[in-house]
Structures are given as C-alpha cells and as structure tokens.
Amino acid sequence: MTGVLADHHLRDMISAGQITATAPVVDGQIQPASLDLRLGDRAYRVRASFLAGHNRTVAERLTQFQMHEIDLTGGAVLEKGCVYVVPLIESLALPAGMTAAASAKSSIGRLDLLTRVITDHGVAFDSVPDGYIGPLYVEICPQSFSVIAQTGQMLNQIIFRDGKTIMSDDDLLALHAETPIVNGDPVVQDGLGFSVDLKPASGTLVGYRAKPHTGVVDLSKLAHYDPRDYWEEVHSDTGWIILDPGAFYILVSREAIAIPPTAAAEMAPYLAMVGEFRVHYAGFFDPGFGYAEAGGSGSRGVLEVRCHDAPFVLEHGQIVGRLVYEHMADVPTALYGREIASNYQGQGLKLSKHFAAP
C-alpha cells in the first residue's frame, strides 16, 4: 500500500490502536483522505511559538514558556496576537514507514487563525515523523480576530502517507488527460500552478480584507456574523490591487480545479521570488473536491493572502501558488461533496462558514 491513506484505512488504524483518543473518534471526523483533530480541555498561553526539538517533549517546553492555563470546556477567548498550545484529544502510534502531515481546516484558514500541529521531539510544524508514537498538540495564534474556542472543536486535519505519494509532473499531465483537473490548459511545474482572479465575470468585487479592530468570532456559530462587521470589500476595475503590509485578504483563484477520487492535493507557495506575500494557510484538498461525479464542475481555490514587508501589486492572472497532487493508496469509500457534506463544493469567492452570506 503506497499513497495517502483513504477513509477506510483510517478506520483500520483506529481499530488497530494506531490512532487513539481520550474520547471515541466519531464518524464526522473521518474525511475521504484525512482525519479531523479535536481540541482537548486545556489551553496554555505561552510566551512565544516553539518547537520541541530533538531531545525534548512539548510538555517539557511548556514548563519553560507557559504563562497561564485556560479551561476550554465551556469555551474561552483566545486573543488576537497571543500564542496558545492545546493538547489534542487524539494521539498516534504510527507503524514504521508511515508519516503524517497536518493543516488547518479551510474555515479556520479563512479566519486568519494560524494553527499548527506540534509533536514531541518535533523539528517542524505540521509534520509527524516516520513511526511517531506520542501525543499531538496544536499551536494557535489568532492573527486578525480573537476567537472563542472550546473542547472538541476541530480546527486541524491530518493525512497519513505510506511511501512516496507525490505525483510527478508527467503523472499530473497524464491524470489531466484522463480526468481534467483544471479548466483550460494546465500550468504544470512541480505541481499545478494557479493564479489570482482580479477580473470577475460581473461587478468589481475581487476579495475581502480583514478589518483591524473587530469583535470576537465564536467558532461554534455558523452563518451568524455580518461580514461588514469584520471585512472590507476589495474592488478593482483595473485588473490589479495593491496589497498592504500586514493586511490579510481573502481572494480567489482564476482556475476551477478538480481532485479526482484517485488523488489528494495540497496547496503550496509558488516561489518566494514572485512577491513578499503568503498564500493559503489551509492546505488539504480531499478526493472529490470540484469533481463532477461528486457534485462539482470545478471549484475555485480560495486564497488566504498576507502581504509581508512592502506594498505589493498583485495582477490578474499572476501565478501565486501551486497544487501538489498526491496518489491515494486506494479510492475512498466517500467522496468530498458527494457522501461528505460540503460548505465549499463549487465555491467561488467565499468567506468562512461563520459569516452570513453578504
């Protein structure tokens, strides 16, 4: 078995004790190619972000950097600009040859909520090494909005890889020839390149920019908040916008993409040299996203963009990122958008599910 593990493999791992939890894993956590991870009952406010390092555990590092402890069982505010570490309900006992990788869920990335999984003896964020046995933690740093979080909420997801999973460019072109993965001609170079849409088919609305001073967002409330209280609309009739340093934007890809059942994908930066900005904090695309037989006709990628050191002109059609496709070890039992209900199948420019429709 080589590739990204599918949903039925995850159930087998749970049965085998390779995925364990202090509360039973529920069906709603299991996605076509990923497992949603749940917050435990305590958050620790820490002085700074950290990695455990080769010779230390996260618990040992917490004794150095912990400022205070917060009870999450009834919900608690995690403040903008602060760093928290939360033990997750799930733990792992991976067999030799298996690795895992984590990412923020889509709705969490769209809130500019920086969440990264860390492990004992870990030297990289969101990376679980071959054969890891131990607990999982998540570092949470709200960037634009303070949030209310509580025990059991799912902010992150994790995929499991067995062997070499990344598709070569030749594999990707062959997949496109068999089952189109993008409308139009694919730009393939270490993955599928995608660009930004700043010339909408109608109107001038091209994105949203987070307001600097807002109320909190309760992560349990869906379609609840008025977007105008948290976001400024970004309009363009020129085909370009200027990104402001430190500002956070929601934009959308020009391309409509599809992930067939035999593949999963992860969004990654294109090249650092194309501009001082970061695109996409939430990276995984499950099999079935945008796929016609799962109710999609290609779905746009929502781009979570933060500009860094200097104002930067972003132009329509500029390539800003790439989708790295991976082989699945098997076709999932359920596809995203078909058996798995989806807020984002067939999406265009769209805020997170916490906001009412504009």
Side-chain angles (χ1 to χ4, degrees):
M1 182 174 64
T2 299
V4 175
L5 271 59
D7 46 9
H8 49 283
H9 298 137
L10 302 184
R11 292 186 171 90
D12 291 343
M13 291 180 68
I14 294 166
S15 298
Q18 295 167 344
I19 298 171
T20 58
T22 56
V25 176
V26 298
D27 283 343
Q29 289 178 252
I30 300 174
Q31 306 301 319
S34 60
L35 177 74
D36 291 346
L37 301 172
R38 296 169 293 178
L39 299 180
D41 59 8
R42 292 287 182 271
Y44 300 94
R45 169 80 164 89
V46 293
R47 286 185 285 158
S49 171
F50 65 82
L51 289 165
H54 282 298
N55 301 316
R56 289 168 295 205
T57 66
V58 174
E60 289 169 343
R61 298 296 266 170
L62 282 173
T63 63
Q64 295 177 289
F65 301 121
Q66 175 184 338
M67 297 173 65
H68 59 266
E69 182 177 321
I70 300 166
D71 184 356
L72 294 181
T73 54
V77 175
L78 305 183
E79 296 186 26
K80 173 182 171 181
C82 298
V83 183
Y84 304 85
V85 172
V86 181
L88 294 170
I89 291 175
E90 289 73 29
S91 298
L92 299 178
L94 300 183
M98 185 180 295
T99 62
S103 173
K105 289 175 63 65
S106 182
S107 293
I108 300 306
R110 295 182 200 202
L111 285 175
D112 197 18
L113 190 57
L114 181 60
T115 64
R116 303 184 287 188
V117 167
I118 54 178
T119 65
D120 290 345
H121 314 294
V123 294
F125 291 108
D126 286 334
S127 178
V128 182
D130 186 332
Y132 176 76
I133 299 174
L136 299 173
Y137 301 80
V138 63
E139 175 194 282
I140 303 174
C141 183
Q143 303 282 290
S144 289
F145 314 119
S146 296
V147 300
I148 298 174
Q150 65 185 65
T151 302
Q153 287 180 328
M154 295 173 279
L155 278 58
N156 293 75
Q157 56 192 160
I158 191 166
I159 66 170
F160 298 89
R161 296 176 171 128
D162 200 337
K164 184 179 179 181
T165 65
I166 304 298
M167 289 189 185
S168 68
D169 288 349
D170 287 342
D171 289 342
L172 199 53
L173 289 169
L175 178 65
H176 179 71
E178 177 185 344
T179 303
I181 58 174
V182 66
N183 61 326
D185 295 327
V187 176
V188 174
Q189 181 182 358
D190 295 327
L192 176 69
F194 62 87
S195 62
V196 63
D197 185 6
L198 297 177
K199 291 183 178 179
S202 61
T204 61
L205 178 66
V206 296
Y208 299 92
R209 169 179 161 153
K211 290 186 173 181
H213 308 291
T214 69
V216 300
V217 175
D218 187 333
L219 298 179
S220 68
K221 294 182 177 179
L222 306 182
H224 177 78
Y225 296 99
D226 186 338
R228 294 172 296 184
D229 293 335
Y230 294 82
W231 300 94
E232 300 170 351
E233 292 186 349
V234 178
H235 290 265
S236 175
D237 56 8
T238 61
W240 54 267
I241 60 173
I242 297 177
L243 302 177
D244 289 326
F248 179 75
Y249 298 83
I250 296 292
L251 305 173
V252 70
S253 72
R254 185 176 59 147
E255 296 80 12
I257 58 176
I259 314 297
T262 57
E266 182 175 7
M267 195 172 279
Y270 185 59
L271 290 170
M273 66 185 71
V274 302
E276 288 298 319
F277 58 89
R278 175 177 174 175
V279 175
H280 218 75
Y281 289 72
F284 295 147
F285 290 75
D286 276 299
F289 180 84
Y291 182 62
E293 293 181 23
S297 55
S299 294
R300 310 267 213 108
V302 168
L303 312 179
E304 301 138 11
V305 178
R306 180 177 296 281
C307 184
H308 295 314
D309 298 330
F312 185 78
V313 176
L314 194 60
E315 300 193 57
H316 176 74
Q318 181 174 343
I319 293 180
V320 294
R322 58 197 169 95
L323 271 180
V324 178
Y325 279 68
E326 301 185 55
H327 296 283
M328 291 293 297
D330 197 3
V331 173
T333 304
L335 291 181
Y336 181 92
R338 191 174 71 187
E339 291 85 2
I340 301 292
S342 161
N343 290 288
Y344 303 122
Q345 185 74 299
Q347 71 180 354
L349 177 65
K350 190 173 184 180
L351 297 172
S352 82
K353 61 187 178 182
H354 305 91
F355 298 97

